[in-house]
Amino acid sequence: MSKPVDIQYYKLKSRLNGELLTDDLSKKLYATDASVYRILPVAVALPKDKADIKALIQFANENNTSLIPRAAGTSLAGQVVGNGIVVDVSKYFTRILNVNKSTKTVTVQPGVVRDELNNYLKPFGLFFGPNTSTSNRCMMGGMVGNNSSGTTSIQYGVTRDKVVSLKTLLSDGSEVEFKEISKEAFFNKTKLQTLEGDIYRTIYEQLKSSKVQQYIRDNFPKKEIHRRNTGYAIDELINSNNFSESDTKFNMCKLLTGSEGTLAFTTEITLQLDDLPPKENAMVALHFDSISKCMKSVKTLMKHNLHTCEMMDDTILNLTKHNKQQQQNRSFILGEPKAILMCELKAESKDDLDIAVHGFIATTEKLGLSYTAPVLVGREIDKALELRKAGLGLLGNMIGDKKAVACIEDTAVALHDLEDYIAEFSSLMTSYDQNPVYYAHA
Ligand SMILES: Cc1cc2nc3c(=O)[nH]c(=O)nc-3n(C[C@H](O)[C@H](O)[C@H](O)COP(=O)(O)OP(=O)(O)OC[C@H]3O[C@@H](n4cnc5c(N)ncnc54)[C@H](O)[C@@H]3O)c2cc1C
C-alpha cells in the first residue's frame, strides 16, 4: 500500500502550473538514471515555468528537502538520483529561444535535445560540437550539468568550452545570469548585498591567495586532460585575469558547467556554436590482436587531426553479433579483433581527403601494430558510429547471469599516459579476477 502523501505536497501541487507526481510508480521511475544507483525521491516535479521552479525552491527551503534537476536522466554516476524532489525539465523547458548568426550562438532552455538542436541549426550552417553517445536523447541542461564531451571533443572541445552564459535560479530563488565579466564588473559584484554578491565575495576570498592557487595547480589533474570532470572546476576560475596575469575574463559558467546541478538551477543556456564540419569524410577502422597494441598506436595516430578516434574491445564487439540491428552495422569488422580503433578524417574536398587518408594509412603501416585497416566511406561510417554508440547499451543487456557492472566509468588520462594506464588497470583487474571491458573516446 502506498504511503499517504504529506499535506505539504498537496499544497505545493496546487501552487504549480506544471505537475507534481507523488505516486509510487512515478517515484520508482525517477529513482534511477543510467547508473547502478537507486533512491526513491520524495516527489517528482515537472515545472512549467520559472515561477514553478521558484515555488519548488521555496518549498525545499521551508521543508528541509533538496531539488535534483533532471533533463534526460542518462547520467552514469547517479547525478539525478536522490531522496529530494526530482525536477524534470524535459517536458516543458524545451524551446530553442534564439539563434544569433553573427556571434554564432544559440540560446536554449535546458530540456532541448542535443541532436534536435543540431537538426534545427543545420540550415544556419552551424552546430553544437560536443557529441555524447546519448546525443539523440540527452538534453542541453544535462550536458551543461555534466560538462559532457563525446566522440568529437578532440576537435570541438567539451561543453564547458561552449557555454557563453547561463540564466539561473539560486537557492534563495533569485534570478542571476552568469557570463564573462571584466575585472571591474567582478569587483562590483563582490559589493552586492545579495546571494549573488556572497558568491562572488566567497570565490574571491577563497581563491585570492597565491598559496591556494598553487595548491590547486599542483593537485588538480594535468591541464592537458581536457575531458576531466573532477569535482568543481575551480582551477578554471584561477586562470582568469582576477587571479592571474592571463587575458581571460572571469566567467562563473566555467564552474557551473560540470557542477551536476548542485550550485544553481539553469533556466536558459547560451552556447557558442561551430561551423558545420568539412563535408568529405572517411574512416579508417584499425583492427588489433591485442588491447595494448591498440593503446600503443593512439598517441601517434592522434597527430593526424582526427575528428573521432573511438575504441571498442572484443567483449562489446562480440555482443553486437547477437543484436539484430547491430549485425548490419558490423560488416566492416574483419576476423576476430581484440580491439578496433575507428579513426575519422574530414576535409573540404575529395582531393584533400585522399591526401589525409593516405598520410594516415602510411603512419599505420609504419607503426605496424594493426593487422588490417579497411577504409569506410559514406553510409558505412554512420553504421560504424552507430555500432560504437550502441556499445554501452548492449553491455547492459548481456545475456545470462553474468552482467557487466558500470563502476569505473569515463576515466580520463593524458594521452601519453594512456598505454601505461590501461596496462596497469588491466593487471589490477586481473588481480581481482575481473574482466574489464574497454570502450573509449581514445
Ligand atoms: C550509453 C551512454 C553513453 C554515454 N556517453 C557519453 C559520452 O560519450 N560523453 C559524455 O559526456 N557522457 C556520456 N554519457 C553520460 C550522459 O549521457 C551525458 O553526460 C548527457 O549529456 C547527460 O544529459 P542528460 O540530459 O541525460 O542529463 P541528466 O542525466 O538528466 O543530468 C545531468 C546533470 O545535469 C544536471 N542538470 C540537468 N538539468 C539541469 C538544470 N536545468 N539546471 C541545473 N542542473 C541541471 C543534473 O542535476 C545532473 O547532475 C553516456 C551515458 C550513457 C547511458
Side-chain angles (χ1 to χ4, degrees):
M1 215 174 78
S2 56
K3 274 199 271 166
V5 176
D6 199 298
I7 184 76
Q8 303 294 353
Y9 286 88
Y10 282 114
K11 284 189 188 159
L12 175 63
K13 197 171 183 162
S14 67
R15 281 182 64 191
L16 299 182
N17 300 313
E19 290 132 60
L20 187 75
L21 313 171
T22 51
D23 61 287
D24 276 357
L25 178 62
S26 303
K27 289 199 272 186
K28 277 182 187 150
L29 287 173
Y30 282 86
T32 191
D33 47 16
S35 70
V36 291
Y37 304 105
R38 275 166 186 50
I39 301 175
L40 272 190
V42 68
V44 177
L46 305 168
K48 202 161 201 171
D49 47 34
K50 256 192 308 199
D52 275 0
I53 302 175
K54 284 186 185 178
L56 286 159
I57 292 171
Q58 191 188 352
F59 179 87
N61 281 327
E62 287 169 1
N63 292 275
N64 197 23
T65 185
S66 59
L67 300 184
I68 303 138
R70 176 182 164 123
T74 66
S75 285
L76 290 163
Q79 285 95 319
V80 295
V81 177
N83 58 7
I85 304 174
V86 172
V87 185
D88 181 351
V89 293
S90 69
K91 186 164 180 186
Y92 296 113
F93 282 79
T94 55
R95 282 171 40 224
I96 297 169
L97 300 168
N98 180 43
V99 181
N100 186 328
K101 268 190 88 171
S102 59
T103 57
K104 297 184 183 172
T105 55
V106 65
T107 301
V108 297
Q109 291 185 322
V112 170
V113 172
R114 188 269 186 197
D115 281 359
E116 288 173 13
L117 173 64
N118 278 353
N119 285 340
Y120 179 88
L121 292 170
K122 225 179 205 161
F124 298 92
L126 298 168
F127 87 124
F128 174 72
N131 180 24
T132 64
S133 304
T134 47
S135 62
N136 64 357
R137 53 199 185 281
C138 79
M139 295 167 185
M140 301 319 300
M143 291 195 83
V144 173
N146 283 351
N147 182 29
S148 300
S149 55
T151 52
T152 51
S153 61
I154 47 175
Q155 278 289 337
Y156 296 103
V158 297
T159 302
R160 179 175 291 127
D161 303 323
K162 305 292 172 192
V163 178
V164 176
S165 65
L166 295 171
K167 284 194 180 166
T168 64
L169 294 171
L170 300 183
S171 59
D172 63 350
S174 57
E175 289 184 39
V176 176
E177 181 175 13
F178 291 103
K179 59 183 178 190
E180 195 173 85
I181 50 172
S182 67
K183 248 177 161 172
E184 195 190 357
F186 180 95
F187 285 106
N188 287 338
K189 295 260 184 209
T190 63
K191 293 179 195 131
L192 295 173
Q193 293 309 308
T194 57
L195 181 54
E196 183 187 8
D198 286 347
I199 292 169
Y200 280 96
R201 264 192 303 284
T202 307
I203 293 280
Y204 184 67
E205 290 304 323
Q206 293 292 324
L207 299 182
K208 69 179 181 195
S209 136
S210 52
K211 225 168 128 190
V212 170
Q213 292 170 19
Q214 196 52 49
Y215 191 74
I216 292 169
R217 289 198 177 97
D218 291 346
N219 288 283
F220 263 67
K222 293 174 182 169
K223 252 195 146 15
E224 64 265 35
I225 305 179
H226 193 210
R227 282 185 230 243
R228 61 174 181 73
N229 246 348
T230 316
Y232 294 109
I234 43 173
D235 59 328
E236 292 279 344
L237 299 186
I238 59 169
N239 291 332
S240 71
N241 60 3
N242 287 327
F243 301 104
S244 68
E245 294 299 312
S246 89
D247 294 330
T248 311
K249 287 185 185 159
F250 184 92
N251 190 343
M252 196 76 82
C253 297
K254 300 279 178 213
L255 176 70
L256 286 165
T257 309
S259 66
E260 298 183 351
T262 58
L263 298 179
F265 206 110
T266 306
T267 55
E268 273 182 35
I269 303 162
T270 299
L271 298 160
Q272 191 63 56
L273 303 170
D274 285 288
D275 292 325
L276 282 171
K279 50 185 185 308
E280 302 296 339
N281 61 340
M283 178 182 275
V284 185
L286 293 107
H287 291 46
F288 300 89
D289 57 24
S290 77
I291 301 273
S292 72
K293 282 185 187 169
C294 175
M295 291 302 154
K296 207 179 255 186
S297 53
V298 174
K299 197 173 154 195
T300 309
L301 298 178
M302 279 294 288
K303 291 182 184 146
H304 279 266
N305 193 26
L306 299 176
H307 269 246
T308 53
C309 180
E310 295 296 300
M311 183 260 178
M312 291 169 94
D313 76 359
D314 58 337
T315 305
I316 296 195
L317 289 173
N318 287 338
L319 284 169
T320 64
K321 286 181 184 168
H322 310 292
N323 179 286
K324 275 227 157 59
Q325 203 181 345
Q326 296 312 323
Q327 279 164 1
Q328 298 159 16
N329 293 337
R330 67 187 318 280
S331 52
F332 68 97
I333 294 170
L334 304 169
E336 296 288 333
K338 277 274 168 211
I340 57 167
L341 208 53
M342 306 191 298
C343 303
E344 202 182 1
L345 294 138
K346 293 196 186 223
E348 285 301 349
S349 71
K350 281 205 159 63
D351 287 350
D352 286 350
L353 183 65
D354 271 354
I355 294 169
V357 171
H358 281 116
F360 184 80
I361 299 267
T363 304
T364 65
E365 283 170 356
K366 211 163 149 198
L367 277 172
L369 293 166
S370 53
Y371 69 79
T372 186
V375 180
L376 317 185
V377 290
R379 176 78 189 113
E380 289 174 307
I381 299 175
D382 301 336
K383 285 164 80 174
L385 288 174
E386 274 168 37
L387 189 81
R388 164 68 178 91
K389 281 195 172 192
L392 182 55
L394 291 174
L395 263 184
N397 297 329
M398 253 178 162
I399 299 160
D401 291 340
K402 280 194 171 177
K403 300 285 178 203
V405 180
C407 57
I408 306 174
E409 274 280 347
D410 278 345
T411 53
V413 294
L415 207 47
H416 57 82
D417 292 330
L418 181 64
E419 191 190 341
D420 291 345
Y421 169 72
I422 295 296
E424 274 182 44
F425 184 77
S426 293
S427 70
L428 180 72
M429 287 291 106
T430 309
S431 73
Y432 284 104
D433 204 19
Q434 297 297 315
N435 179 28
V437 180
Y438 295 111
Y439 55 93
H441 308 301

